[in-house]
Amino acid sequence: MSKTKNAVSAELDTPTDLDSAAVTKVSAALNTLLADAFALYLKTKNFHWHVSGRHFRDYHVLLDEQSTQILGSTDQLAERVRKIGGNTIRSIGHIAKLQTLEDNDEKFVPPREMLRELMEDNKKVAAAMRKAHKVCDDAEDVASASILEVFIDETERRTWFLFEATRQEGGNEA
């Protein structure tokens, strides 16, 4: 049996050598990242579906690639929570309660503003991943920390690509 006290049903109880406090803290950190991953995925797909203008194809493809990568992180985050004996998100409502990123429901967003907003969101996600990494380090959960290291690198790459796509011609400013 796990040592968790975070309301895991007996049928889902997973053995772990992490203490219950560590499971609770790591699960909370990873679940917030998971909620933000779903929020960022949907926003990226929203912008992918609604991008318009002279760079349509380039942006459409870029956002599709990025959304696929973001969605790919969700299963690993959720399964990591379960592997250590925690509960993970179960619904859109649960995601809405945990997400820290803001949705964008505007009818039209200019393409450059879309990319800049996604760049800022990815920067926020990278910062949150670093904080979660510290939680994992403090809990001696090297496996979760290792997964986050890969995701931080992927997030920084998305940020870089979005930054480069929004730079003004002939300048270094964004």
Side-chain angles (χ1 to χ4, degrees):
M1 296 292 179
S2 74
K3 298 177 187 175
T4 65
K5 295 178 184 175
N6 64 346
V8 174
S9 69
E11 295 83 4
L12 295 176
D13 198 23
T14 304
T16 182
D17 66 326
L18 297 175
D19 66 47
S20 62
V23 170
T24 299
K25 289 177 185 174
V26 171
S27 294
L30 295 182
N31 277 325
T32 300
L33 293 177
L34 180 58
D36 279 343
F38 277 116
L40 184 57
Y41 166 76
L42 189 54
K43 184 187 282 188
T44 304
K45 283 307 264 192
N46 170 28
F47 289 168
H48 160 80
W49 295 322
H50 295 102
V51 70
S52 180
R54 66 185 179 115
H55 297 291
F56 168 79
R57 179 161 171 40
D58 291 337
Y59 296 166
H60 187 75
V61 171
L62 173 67
L63 298 178
D64 195 39
E65 290 170 351
Q66 290 197 356
S67 65
T68 299
Q69 183 182 66
I70 295 163
L71 185 61
S73 70
T74 60
D75 196 49
Q76 291 181 63
L77 289 168
E79 287 185 358
R80 187 66 205 148
V81 171
R82 290 293 299 123
K83 285 178 195 175
I84 64 170
N87 279 317
T88 194
I89 59 175
R90 290 188 164 89
S91 67
I92 297 294
H94 196 176
I95 291 168
K97 289 177 187 174
L98 295 178
Q99 78 182 68
T100 66
L101 300 179
E102 291 185 28
D103 294 330
N104 185 322
D105 296 324
E106 295 297 321
K107 288 185 179 185
F108 177 77
V109 179
R112 189 164 183 264
E113 288 180 28
M114 288 178 172
L115 301 182
R116 295 294 293 177
E117 186 172 332
L118 290 173
M119 181 189 77
E120 291 301 324
D121 286 345
N122 275 279
K123 285 171 48 178
K124 289 175 187 173
V125 167
M129 286 180 179
R130 284 186 179 84
K131 288 180 183 174
H133 191 287
K134 171 109 175 65
V135 171
C136 296
D137 283 346
D138 291 347
E140 298 182 3
D141 181 0
V142 295
S144 294
S146 178
I147 289 169
L148 291 176
E149 289 168 5
V150 172
F151 290 161
I152 290 167
D153 183 57
E154 290 174 355
T155 304
E156 289 175 335
R157 186 172 197 264
R158 288 193 306 270
T159 301
W160 172 40
F161 275 48
L162 291 163
F163 168 74
E164 290 296 340
T166 61
R167 285 173 52 162
Q168 297 296 314
E169 295 294 325
N172 209 15
E173 64 280 355

